């Protein structure tokens, strides 16, 4: 059976490489038959990755300890649910899950938008296959889940801290979120490469971003509950580096889902939206890198690994590709519509975006800075740093959530806005005063947040 798993991954490697190269050539030359061939190769690649995944699942269930991966992560006494969860509890299996979800989501996105892919965004196949190629390369040449050994009598078993019901749901939710952000990225970059920057690609991008955002949000919440019960942090969120890595793409995706409404209604923020899509995808790759490189000390991260440099290189390539493509398409991407007033619903969305992105960048710096400084001065970033900026950027966001929906499009009158907000503001202030007099809550920031809400 390991031979079948390896063969399936090698077949997927060839099919994905074919889809990337032939898809790019077909998009460049406008060859529709070749584009159809590349599309079929992508479908076939998903089938091959599915076969490899089923082989690994079968080996886990059968306690086939001749596979090094199975022997390291399971044992005969391990309950079936955790045995199945071992599929994504190790590095090689989690990479295989990444590839399975990616090829499945890409196949579904292309099948559901086949006309769009053929006529408007022919580069979609090549771009999504290019991303998949990186992961199948790692699985075939660097971190195969089908490496064999002399079978021991029993396996080492799963880490006790992972033997929790949340282990069955939390990682797959995060993967659906992380990988789901690849599809909006592929459609956005394909729109730029095709110079088709009208609103047709936005519909697909928004739907897939919303799905990825939802899965990622649920994954973060499940992880918070798991940590509260299992790890004993004494709270729902501890600003752990890998927690932050999941939060950052969620924040940027949240910003995109807000600003894309402005593009749909007013044909504005087109450059900004493409930047947000690319940024969310890059941050999802960065989060994956953190858990697999061994560069951080975290309960979520795997041990030191040889694939860290590959991930860094891939992130650099994707970032360079995105920046070059955006800059070269600026003349056709810029919107003819401009912001008419700083007091308008469009402006409220812009303020919302700025706070969300500022918070994401602040968290990113808090994650990266210790990696650089610890080697020199031993400086680390703790919870007070994150708590401060969460308050600074979070309170205006809560306030904008209440004000934004009542502001008119294009241009709003300050007088009419003040009259609309008079009663809600009065009730909010009265509520805050009562809470303060009653001694409710120990945090002034939390009290203000409740007042705003």
């Amino acid at each position: 059976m390991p031979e079948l798993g390896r063969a399936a991954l090698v077949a997927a490697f060839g099919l994905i490489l074919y889809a990337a190269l032939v898809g790019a050539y077909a998009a460049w030359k406008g060859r529709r038959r070749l584009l159809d061939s590349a599309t079929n190769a992508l479908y076939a690649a998903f089938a091959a990755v599915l076969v490899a995944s089923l082989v690994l699942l079968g080996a886990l269930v059968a306690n086939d300890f001749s596979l090094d991966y199975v022997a390291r992560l399971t044992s005969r006494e391990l309950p079936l649910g955790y045995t199945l969860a071992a599929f994504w509890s190790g590095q090689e299996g989690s990479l295989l899950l990444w590839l399975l979800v990616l090829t499945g989501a890409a196949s579904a996105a292309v099948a559901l938008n086949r006309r769009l892919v053929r006529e408007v965004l022919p580069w979609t196949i090549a771009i999504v296959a290019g991303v998949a190629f990186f992961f199948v390369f790692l699985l075939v040449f660097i971190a195969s889940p089908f490496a064999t050994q002399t079978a021991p009598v029993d396996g080492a078993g799963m880490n006790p801290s992972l033997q929790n019901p949340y282990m069955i749901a939390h990682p797959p939710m995060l993967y659906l979120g992380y990988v789901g952000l690849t599809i909006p990225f592929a459609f956005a970059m394909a729109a730029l490469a095709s110079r088709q920057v009208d609103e047709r690609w936005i519909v697909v991008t928004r739907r897939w971003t919303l799905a990825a955002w939802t899965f990622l949000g649920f994954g973060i919440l499940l992880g918070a509950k798991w940590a509260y019960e299992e790890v004993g942090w004494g709270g729902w969120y501890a600003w752990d580096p890998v927690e932050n890595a999941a939060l950052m793409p969620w924040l940027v995706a949240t910003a995109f889902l807000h600003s894309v409404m402005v593009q749909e209604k007013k044909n504005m923020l087109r450059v900004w939206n493409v930047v947000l899509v690319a940024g969310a995808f890059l941050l999802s790759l960065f989060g994956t890198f953190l858990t697999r490189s061994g560069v951080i000390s975290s309960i979520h991260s795997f041990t030191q690994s040889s694939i860290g440099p590959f991930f860094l290189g891939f992130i650099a390539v994707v970032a360079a590709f995105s920046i070059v493509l955006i800059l070269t398409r600026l003349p056709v991407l810029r919107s003819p519509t401009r912001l008419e007033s700083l007091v308008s619903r469009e402006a409220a969305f812009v303020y919302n975006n700025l706070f969300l992105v500022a918070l994401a960048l602040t968290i990113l710096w808090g994650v990266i800075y210790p990696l650089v400084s610890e080697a020199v001065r031993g400086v680390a970033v703790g919870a007070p740093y994150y708590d401060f900026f969460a308050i600074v950027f979070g309170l205006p966001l809560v306030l904008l959530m209440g004000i934004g929906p009542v502001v008119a499009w294009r241009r709003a009158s300050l007088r009419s806005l003040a009259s609309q907000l008079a009663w809600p503001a009065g009730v909010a202030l009265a509520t805050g005063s009562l809470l303060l007099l009653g001694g409710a809550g120990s945090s002034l920031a939390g009290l203000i947040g409740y007042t705003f809400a």
Side-chain angles (χ1 to χ4, degrees):
M1 292 302 285
E3 292 77 12
L4 176 59
R6 284 193 291 268
L9 284 179
V10 170
F13 177 88
L15 289 165
I16 290 171
L17 180 61
Y18 178 87
L21 296 178
V22 174
Y25 181 79
W28 180 37
K29 294 294 186 179
R31 303 289 182 85
R32 181 161 293 186
R33 291 174 64 89
L34 284 179
L35 186 62
D36 290 340
S37 177
T39 303
N40 292 333
L42 181 64
Y43 296 156
F46 169 59
V49 175
L50 181 60
V51 169
S53 302
L54 291 174
V55 169
L56 183 58
L57 280 173
L60 289 168
V61 173
N63 291 322
D64 183 1
F65 299 129
S66 65
L67 263 68
D68 176 71
Y69 186 81
V70 177
R72 282 189 287 114
L73 297 170
T74 67
S75 63
R76 299 187 186 279
E77 291 76 23
L78 193 66
L80 179 60
Y82 298 133
T83 299
L84 294 174
F87 185 100
W88 49 79
S89 66
Q91 180 153 262
E92 298 88 344
S94 64
L95 290 173
L96 181 56
L97 179 63
W98 226 105
L99 184 62
L100 176 66
V101 176
L102 175 57
T103 52
S107 298
V110 171
L112 293 172
N113 301 277
R114 193 171 181 87
R115 181 177 177 183
L116 187 68
V117 170
R118 285 167 56 101
E119 299 181 1
V120 182
L121 307 176
W123 285 96
T124 306
I125 298 295
I127 293 172
V128 75
V131 176
F133 178 75
F134 169 72
F135 287 92
V136 75
F137 171 83
L138 291 179
L139 285 165
V140 171
F141 296 105
I142 309 298
S144 173
F146 300 108
T148 56
Q149 61 175 9
T150 302
V153 176
D154 200 359
M158 182 179 288
N159 187 322
S161 66
L162 299 181
Q163 296 182 38
N164 186 289
Y166 290 107
M167 179 63 188
I168 300 173
H170 166 64
M173 282 286 185
L174 287 182
Y175 275 91
L176 288 169
Y178 275 152
V179 182
L181 291 173
T182 310
I183 307 304
F185 172 80
F187 276 98
M189 295 301 108
L192 295 182
S194 305
R195 295 182 180 271
Q196 302 291 336
V197 293
D198 54 28
E199 311 311 313
R200 284 176 285 184
W201 67 276
I202 278 292
V203 176
V204 179
T205 304
R206 176 171 52 79
R207 289 173 179 171
W208 280 92
T209 304
L210 182 60
W213 176 85
T214 302
F215 284 122
L216 192 56
F218 274 116
I220 293 171
L221 290 175
L222 289 173
K225 186 69 163 60
W226 182 4
Y228 185 79
E229 294 183 357
E230 181 73 23
V231 185
W233 280 338
W236 299 101
Y237 204 81
W239 299 109
D240 181 81
V242 180
E243 283 185 309
N244 294 338
L247 179 62
M248 287 184 291
W250 185 87
L251 289 170
V252 176
T254 304
F256 171 74
L257 290 173
H258 283 79
S259 63
V260 75
M261 290 187 283
V262 179
Q263 181 172 345
E264 287 182 307
K265 290 182 177 295
K266 298 297 180 180
N267 195 25
M268 296 171 57
L269 305 180
R270 289 177 8 183
V271 176
W272 177 247
N273 283 330
V274 173
V275 171
L276 289 178
V277 170
F281 176 61
L282 284 167
L283 287 171
S284 73
L285 290 177
F286 179 71
T288 309
F289 159 74
L290 284 180
T291 59
R292 281 152 190 81
S293 62
V295 299
I296 59 170
S297 177
S298 166
I299 191 172
H300 300 84
S301 62
F302 295 105
T303 56
Q304 187 68 34
S305 168
S306 60
I307 71 173
F310 290 96
F311 258 100
L312 274 182
F314 182 60
I315 292 171
V317 169
V318 173
F321 170 75
S322 304
I323 292 170
V324 169
L325 199 53
I326 292 171
L327 291 178
T328 55
R329 296 298 187 265
L330 277 179
V332 295
L333 188 59
R334 285 195 177 99
S335 172
T337 308
R338 296 289 182 265
L339 188 67
E340 296 184 28
S341 173
L342 296 178
V343 184
S344 63
R345 189 170 298 186
E346 297 96 308
F349 277 117
V350 171
Y351 305 148
N352 165 285
N353 269 227
L354 292 176
F355 283 120
L356 286 168
V357 173
L359 180 57
L361 292 177
T362 301
I363 295 172
L364 177 63
W365 177 244
V367 173
I368 292 177
Y369 180 69
L371 302 181
V372 178
S373 65
E374 281 183 357
V376 181
R377 294 181 296 170
V379 178
V381 174
Y385 166 85
Y386 296 108
D387 290 341
F388 173 78
F389 286 104
I391 293 170
V392 169
F393 297 128
L395 289 179
L397 278 171
V398 175
L399 183 62
L400 283 169
M401 287 170 59
I403 294 176
V406 301
V407 183
W409 290 103
R410 294 187 60 188
R411 187 183 300 273
S413 165
L414 288 175
R415 180 176 296 179
S416 63
L417 183 61
S419 63
Q420 285 180 292
L421 295 176
W423 276 105
V427 172
L429 290 173
T431 303
S433 300
L434 290 174
L435 290 172
L436 184 61
L437 292 173
S442 58
S443 169
L444 180 59
L447 180 63
I448 297 173
Y450 278 117
T451 303
F452 286 168

